[in-house]
Amino acid sequence: MRSTRSILSAALLLLPTLILAGWAGSIPVLRADDPELRIRLIGYDPRDLLRGHYLRAQLDIQGLTQGIAMEEERVCLLPRPDDPVHPGFKPLGDDSPCSYPLINPRRELRVYQSEETALRLEALLRDGKSIVDIAVRFDGTGEISLHDIHVDGRPLDE
Amino acid sequence: MGVAFGVTGRLAEWQQAGLIDADIAQRIAAHEAARGRPTLTYAIIALGCFAIAIGIIAIVAANWHEIPMPLRLSLQVLLNLSLGGVVWHWHRQGDVDRAVWVEGAVLLLSLSSLSLIAHIAQSFQLQGSMLGLVGTWLLLVTPFTLLLARGALNRWVWLIGVAGWVMLCLDRYAVWLQAHQVFVSALILPFAALYAARAIASPLHESWSRHLGRAMTGLTIAATTFLVLILRPILHGEMNASERIDMMIGAGVGLVALAVAHLLVPADRRGARLAFGILLALSPPIAIIPFVLPTLGSVIVGGVLFCCYWVALARLALLAERSGWFRLAVGLIAAQMFAVYLEATGGLLATGFGLIVAGMVLLALAFAAKRVMQWGVRA
């Protein structure tokens, strides 16, 4: 009885961390084949762009009016060959297939950057003279992950 | 003779007052001297450890971007596994002296798990919600927290996490819940479920049952008081029909859910405990009635209901010999009466005469409250 309880305690204490470690290890593998679009970023609010090390921004989706973010809003993004960083959208139906489903398209994105980089990006977004875009991966359920920011078509580090 | 401080000073005072004799004073002084701890040494050690910890955190923070992401994540995973291993080892030993350390390590593991989830999300730029973060954290830490934690701090951290998660869920599904007129019901039901959870005897430790019972009764009474005494008077305008129906459904659901949750514990089905359960179950209707009535009626009906509610609580507090609750009841009833008075007199307060009357009412209330408190102490 005592040994069963001891094993149970060990499992309850160690499993959460092992599950999280497994999750972290699986993300790059599982997300590698997710469909991806490069989308332009627009500033979320110039007065409140920088908080901590997060750059706060929104996706610039063609025809989507800025407004209150709603969790229940679901759209399907439509790539536009003539303007690749400004995809269009249509409401997400239950029956039609969609490669780029997105929940809450007006959501405020949080892009983690170093403090210096975040400050630079903030200035670029505020001025509007440079084009800042980011690669968005779609997991198929409406959730997304972000990586690889470009400024005027070049990677941020250059 | 100089002024003596600490134990020596107290002993001298007690000796002078005739509470203890010289022999007992000497024995107490000897006992305290024997168990005396090198406080200064401990303080210096703690200060040194604190300085080193802050220094390490500062160095890590300053070079955060220089540390490769896999290494950062691996280090935190290792830290969490070590904490889990330490808690398991101490818990297995069953050493009572280590109980505080187990509590501290469980708390650290719980919080470090939360930060690990955030760390992973940050590292892979996942755009998850706060609801997902808190939900995942609760899913992972609830089993070991409920099984191993006994201390108040761990219990409160967990309970605040659950309450936060419920609020985030309500926020997420607010539009749907309001459209179906079940928002208030959805707000009350999780707390009734937590109140019911105190009936689970095993494997929950009795400290959890006690904590859940006290926290949920306290929350219910505090929420009722806040809604009637503070929120309703400052809310102008009336609810629309849909909101009224939502609130009335919530009042009914809350009444039944809290009554059932209370009756689940056999000891709570008799005498004063049963009366307290009835009062607790009546809390949602009492809190909601002032909101569904027209403004003028709500002031009078809400005021009367509130006073009856707290008079009943005061009576139960006397029976249970809880003088603090009794005093609180008297104070709140006085505050409610004064709020009703202010509402009723309205524009009179803008005049000098109105201010004089208000002052006299306050004095009368203070006098009445003092008399009632004295009666409570005598009873």
Side-chain angles (χ1 to χ4, degrees):
Chain A
M1 181 67 188
R2 189 176 158 81
S3 66
T4 311
R5 198 176 165 83
S6 178
I7 291 168
L8 178 70
S9 308
L12 293 182
L13 286 163
L14 301 177
L15 266 180
T17 307
L18 294 174
I19 289 169
L20 289 175
W23 177 46
S26 70
I27 289 172
V29 181
L30 293 176
R31 299 238 158 155
D33 296 329
D34 281 349
E36 186 175 301
L37 277 182
R38 183 162 284 284
I39 304 176
R40 188 170 174 181
L41 288 178
I42 48 176
Y44 176 70
D45 178 348
R47 289 163 302 166
D48 201 19
L49 262 177
L50 193 67
R51 185 182 287 175
H53 289 191
Y54 286 98
L55 171 76
R56 302 169 84 192
Q58 285 179 322
L59 296 176
D60 193 0
I61 298 166
Q62 181 72 32
L64 187 77
T65 53
Q66 298 305 311
I68 299 167
M70 288 189 293
E71 297 281 354
E72 63 270 21
E73 190 175 10
R74 290 158 188 268
V75 297
C76 179
L77 297 191
L78 305 168
R80 298 192 317 148
D82 56 321
D83 189 2
V85 292
H86 286 118
F89 78 100
K90 65 173 183 179
L92 185 64
D94 292 332
D95 44 358
S96 56
C98 176
S99 299
Y100 308 106
L102 179 61
I103 294 173
N104 193 3
R106 295 181 180 89
R107 73 170 84 172
E108 170 203 334
L109 303 172
R110 288 168 170 252
V111 188
Y112 183 78
Q113 293 294 327
S114 70
E115 199 162 352
E116 302 78 33
T117 313
L119 276 169
R120 266 173 58 205
L121 283 169
E122 180 209 17
L124 290 172
L125 280 173
R126 192 171 46 215
D127 294 346
K129 290 175 185 168
S130 299
I131 295 172
V132 181
D133 55 68
I134 194 163
V136 182
R137 279 193 180 141
F138 299 80
D139 74 353
T141 67
E143 290 301 336
I144 54 173
S145 61
L146 310 170
H147 68 111
D148 196 19
I149 293 182
H150 281 190
V151 178
D152 291 331
R154 286 185 301 185
L156 191 61
D157 299 336
E158 288 182 14
Chain B
M1 192 176 131
V3 180
F5 294 99
V7 177
T8 317
R10 287 292 176 88
L11 288 173
E13 276 177 29
W14 295 339
Q15 223 180 315
Q16 276 178 357
L19 297 173
I20 54 173
D21 59 30
D23 181 45
I24 291 176
Q26 203 172 4
R27 279 161 56 197
I28 292 174
H31 172 75
E32 288 299 324
R35 66 195 278 269
R37 292 173 180 170
T39 314
L40 183 64
T41 315
Y42 281 144
I44 291 169
I45 290 170
L47 205 61
C49 292
F50 184 67
I52 292 169
I54 293 288
I56 291 170
I57 290 169
I59 291 168
V60 171
N63 297 286
W64 189 246
H65 279 87
E66 309 307 320
I67 306 170
M69 186 254 278
L71 179 63
R72 285 196 320 241
L73 286 173
S74 303
L75 284 175
Q76 191 169 6
V77 166
L78 203 63
L79 171 74
N80 279 21
L81 288 175
S82 309
L83 278 170
V86 165
V87 174
W88 176 72
H89 178 65
W90 284 341
H91 180 69
R92 201 171 56 130
Q93 284 182 329
D95 190 348
V96 180
D97 292 339
R98 289 241 185 251
V100 177
W101 292 92
V102 171
E103 287 296 323
V106 167
L107 184 65
L108 272 180
L109 178 60
S110 175
L111 297 179
S112 188
S113 298
L114 179 64
S115 81
L116 180 56
I117 300 167
H119 189 178
I120 293 168
Q122 183 196 75
S123 299
F124 293 101
Q125 305 282 11
L126 305 179
Q127 299 298 309
S129 62
M130 186 62 89
L131 177 63
L133 174 72
V134 179
T136 310
W137 173 64
L138 282 174
L139 199 65
L140 294 173
V141 306
T142 295
F144 72 74
T145 305
L146 292 185
L147 190 73
L148 302 174
R150 302 281 179 267
L153 191 57
N154 269 310
R155 295 197 304 255
W156 277 112
V157 167
W158 182 81
L159 204 55
I160 288 168
V162 172
W165 181 75
V166 169
M167 292 304 152
L168 289 167
C169 280
L170 288 173
D171 181 50
R172 175 78 165 262
Y173 301 107
V175 174
W176 188 91
L177 291 168
Q178 282 163 349
H180 292 79
Q181 294 164 336
V182 290
F183 183 84
V184 178
S185 307
L187 174 67
I188 295 172
L189 277 175
F191 295 103
L194 281 174
Y195 186 52
R198 82 199 195 290
I200 302 170
S202 177
L204 270 191
H205 189 261
E206 63 178 34
S207 61
W208 276 98
S209 311
R210 213 169 39 239
H211 179 74
L212 287 173
R214 285 178 183 171
M216 290 307 117
T217 50
L219 183 70
T220 307
I221 293 168
T224 306
T225 304
F226 172 77
L227 288 169
V228 180
L229 188 65
I230 297 169
L231 191 63
R232 185 61 187 107
I234 60 171
L235 270 188
H236 297 290
E238 291 172 10
M239 305 281 155
N240 62 38
S242 175
E243 288 168 340
R244 280 205 192 108
I245 293 170
D246 188 340
M247 291 189 118
M248 285 191 283
I249 293 172
V253 168
L255 187 145
V256 174
L258 284 172
V260 170
H262 186 82
L263 294 174
L264 282 176
V265 176
D268 289 347
R269 296 176 198 157
R270 291 187 298 274
R273 283 171 175 263
L274 177 63
F276 183 70
I278 293 169
L279 204 56
L280 204 64
L282 285 172
S283 299
I286 289 170
I288 281 165
I289 284 171
F291 289 86
V292 296
L293 290 175
T295 309
L296 184 62
S298 76
V299 173
I300 298 162
V301 175
V304 170
L305 276 176
F306 182 83
C307 287
C308 292
Y309 181 68
W310 273 99
V311 165
L313 279 174
R315 176 71 188 143
L316 290 171
L318 277 183
L319 288 174
E321 296 180 351
R322 298 282 181 89
S323 59
W325 276 94
F326 180 80
R327 288 196 177 94
L328 178 68
V330 173
L332 286 170
I333 291 167
Q336 175 64 28
M337 285 170 67
F338 190 63
V340 172
Y341 159 77
L342 286 181
E343 191 79 26
T345 53
L348 256 184
L349 276 177
T351 67
F353 179 70
L355 284 170
I356 292 168
V357 174
M360 287 170 70
V361 169
L362 267 180
L363 288 174
L365 282 173
F367 178 72
K370 193 180 171 199
R371 291 300 299 267
V372 176
M373 277 185 218
Q374 283 169 348
W375 169 70
V377 171
R378 279 201 303 273

